[in-house]
């Protein structure tokens, strides 16, 4: 509609439809403040019907025929058949595209900030973080076995691995994280409450720790202590016999409730869930970061200290990974199964008809 010429034009598929144009005999066409309805008439009875609506545009001026043609020439993203509507025929084309196109992308296990794989010749004591290159130190008598593992004897004075203070600086203050450990445990023969790994400050008020619980070979715990307050995630229900080789993992995210949650994984499957009351990163930049040892120290002859306070891990450790994000359950399972890819559909696939989705989002569990 042109106010100057008081002329109303009607276009259908780019062509002006008779009896258009219509000229208002006097005055201008005036719009009131009634709602604009599509598929209905304001204040009038509504009749059932079917209409396909893809795009509605309002301009504060009269557009030219050339501009109308330009708009018509713009493709409709979801109109895969080109018939100017979206229906089951477009979905058939979409399904065919899915079947013919490989949308497999890398399993989302990125943002790994530390990785020790214990590869090296038998007898070697050289253990380096493959991400940062920072060497770890074996404290006591132990070495690589030549088969991608380090063997630790366990007991109250057994050897352990000092990962160094640098990893504490890396993981300090993370809002989310994942720790995965591939190990082969000898069982409780060398003592109860064996400590698989720990990250802590000097003293015993600030630390996080994997521990086997007492002499129970089907019970593990992730203990997160801040200012003397313990947050424990206990994996004890429907647990396998932990003696032998298993992948043990913990994930944390703040994106749950007030302080976040932890999830405990055994062999790629969630075994425990805990709602936190202390936020991740509360323990700060840890300086005592160990494999095979806890944050405590047992002093021989000290009758005031529990003799089981520092029983160390007995067995082999094959692989340790730390991520600066919470891996999803599928991603943890992928790492356990050694898969480098899994069938995910990114939102850039033809199925996505919406805009502004995160680039790395994915659709799973069809």
């Amino acid at each position: 509609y042109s106010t100057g010429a008081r002329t109303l034009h009607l276009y259908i598929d780019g062509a002006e439809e008779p009896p258009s144009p219509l000229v208002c005999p006097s005055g201008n066409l005036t719009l009131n403040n009634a709602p604009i309805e599509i598929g209905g008439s304001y204040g009038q009875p509504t009749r059932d019907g079917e209409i396909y609506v893809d795009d509605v545009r309002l301009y504060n001026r009269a557009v030219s025929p050339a501009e109308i043609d330009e708009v018509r020439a713009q493709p409709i993203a979801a109109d895969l058949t080109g018939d100017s509507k979206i229906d089951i025929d477009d979905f058939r084309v979409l399904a065919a595209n899915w079947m013919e196109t490989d949308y497999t992308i890398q399993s989302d296990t990125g943002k790994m900030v530390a990785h020790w794989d214990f590869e090296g010749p038998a007898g070697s004591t050289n253990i380096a973080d493959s991400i940062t290159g920072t060497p770890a130190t074996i404290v006591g008598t132990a070495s690589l076995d030549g088969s991608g593992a380090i063997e630790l004897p366990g007991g109250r004075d057994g050897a352990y691995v000092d990962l160094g203070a640098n990893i504490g600086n890396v993981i300090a203050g993370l809002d989310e994280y994942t720790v995965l450990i591939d190990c082969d445990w000898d069982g409780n023969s060398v003592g109860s409450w064996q400590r698989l790994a720990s990250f802590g400050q000097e003293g015993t008020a600030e630390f996080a720790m994997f521990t086997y619980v007492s002499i129970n070979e089907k019970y593990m715990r992730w203990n997160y202590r801040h200012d003397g307050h313990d947050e424990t995630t206990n994996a004890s229900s429907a647990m396998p016999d932990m003696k032998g080789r298993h992948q043990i993992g913990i994930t944390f995210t703040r994106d749950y409730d007030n302080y976040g949650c932890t999830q405990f994984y055994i062999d790629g499957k969630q075994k425990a869930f805990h709602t936190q009351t202390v936020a991740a990163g509360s323990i700060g930049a840890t300086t005592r970061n160990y494999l095979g040892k806890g944050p405590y120290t047992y002093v021989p002859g000290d009758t005031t200290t529990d003799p089981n306070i520092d029983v160390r891990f007995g067995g082999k450790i094959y692989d340790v990974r730390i991520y600066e994000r919470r891996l999803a359950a599928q991603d943890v399972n992928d790492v356990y199964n050694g898969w480098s890819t899994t069938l995910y559909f990114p939102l850039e696939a033809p199925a996505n008809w919406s805009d502004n989705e995160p680039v790395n989002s994915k659709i799973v569990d069809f």
Side-chain angles (χ1 to χ4, degrees):
Y1 178 73
S2 174
T3 57
R6 304 197 312 276
T7 304
L8 182 69
H9 296 266
L10 172 66
Y11 288 85
I12 298 178
D13 293 334
E16 191 163 15
E17 188 75 11
S20 176
L22 295 176
V23 179
C24 295
S26 62
N28 283 312
L29 187 66
T30 302
L31 295 178
N32 61 23
N33 60 356
I36 298 174
E37 295 193 358
I38 298 174
S41 178
Y42 182 67
Q44 300 297 321
T46 299
R47 293 179 172 84
D48 293 334
E50 184 179 74
I51 184 171
Y52 296 96
V53 178
D54 180 78
D55 190 83
V56 177
R57 307 185 188 196
L58 296 177
Y59 297 83
N60 62 357
R61 61 180 179 83
V63 297
S64 68
E67 289 174 313
I68 293 175
D69 287 337
E70 182 180 351
V71 172
R72 287 189 66 243
Q74 296 175 1
I76 302 173
D79 178 19
L80 303 180
T81 58
D83 59 0
S84 299
K85 63 182 180 181
I86 304 170
D87 55 16
I88 190 63
D89 292 329
D90 297 292
F91 187 79
R92 291 191 182 100
V93 175
L94 181 67
N97 289 340
W98 276 345
M99 297 299 292
E100 296 171 2
T101 307
D102 182 11
Y103 290 108
T104 302
I105 63 173
Q106 189 72 21
S107 178
D108 195 0
T109 53
K111 295 190 177 181
M112 187 159 52
V113 294
H115 183 206
W116 297 270
D117 60 10
F118 303 99
E119 295 290 345
S124 174
T125 58
N126 181 24
I127 305 171
D129 171 9
S130 63
I131 304 297
T132 66
T134 305
T137 303
I138 298 175
V139 180
T141 304
S143 62
L144 301 183
D145 69 353
S147 300
I150 183 171
E151 187 163 8
L152 301 174
R156 294 175 187 163
D157 57 359
Y160 61 94
V161 178
D162 186 344
L163 300 176
N166 181 64
I167 188 59
N169 296 325
V170 172
I171 64 179
L174 291 180
D175 284 340
E176 55 183 53
Y177 59 78
T178 300
V179 181
L180 299 177
I181 300 178
D182 180 3
C183 61
D184 192 335
W185 184 40
D186 291 341
N188 61 28
S189 59
V190 296
S192 61
W193 293 99
Q194 292 182 44
R195 318 301 190 183
L196 175 59
S198 63
F199 308 88
Q201 303 283 9
E202 185 174 355
T204 58
E206 307 284 339
F207 66 80
M209 172 179 64
F210 280 112
T211 182
Y212 297 89
V213 176
S214 188
I215 60 172
N216 192 332
E217 294 185 346
K218 293 188 176 183
Y219 193 171
M220 287 203 71
R221 173 177 296 163
W222 172 254
N223 195 156
Y224 193 95
R225 176 178 291 185
H226 169 58
D227 197 24
H229 169 76
D230 288 310
E231 294 279 341
T232 57
T233 306
N234 297 308
S236 59
S237 177
M239 287 282 284
D241 187 345
M242 294 307 297
K243 185 177 180 180
R245 187 165 181 176
H246 296 280
Q247 182 206 71
I248 299 165
I250 196 79
T251 68
F252 174 87
T253 178
R254 281 196 180 186
D255 189 21
Y256 184 87
D257 205 59
N258 292 327
Y259 295 98
C261 66
T262 55
Q263 294 165 279
F264 204 122
Y265 289 87
I266 303 293
D267 297 338
K269 304 297 182 183
Q270 181 180 304
K271 293 296 182 181
F273 179 95
H274 174 71
T275 301
Q276 292 280 125
T277 60
V278 172
S282 300
I283 60 177
T286 58
T287 56
R288 297 185 173 188
N289 306 300
Y290 306 135
L291 297 177
K293 184 185 184 309
Y296 306 103
T297 299
Y298 173 69
V299 179
D302 182 359
T303 58
T304 64
T305 303
D306 183 348
N308 293 318
I309 200 169
D310 188 29
V311 178
R312 299 166 187 180
F313 174 81
K316 293 183 177 182
I317 298 178
Y318 290 87
D319 192 272
V320 178
R321 305 180 185 203
I322 300 176
Y323 300 82
E324 62 177 355
R325 57 180 293 271
R326 180 189 68 86
L327 296 188
Q330 180 65 58
D331 300 325
V332 174
N333 192 59
D334 285 353
V335 175
Y336 172 69
N337 286 296
W339 296 341
S340 60
T341 59
T342 191
L343 190 59
Y344 290 148
F345 288 89
L347 289 182
E348 290 79 17
N352 180 36
W353 295 346
S354 59
D355 300 320
N356 301 321
E357 300 287 358
V359 174
N360 293 323
S361 295
K362 57 180 181 273
I363 304 169
V364 296
D365 296 334
F366 278 82

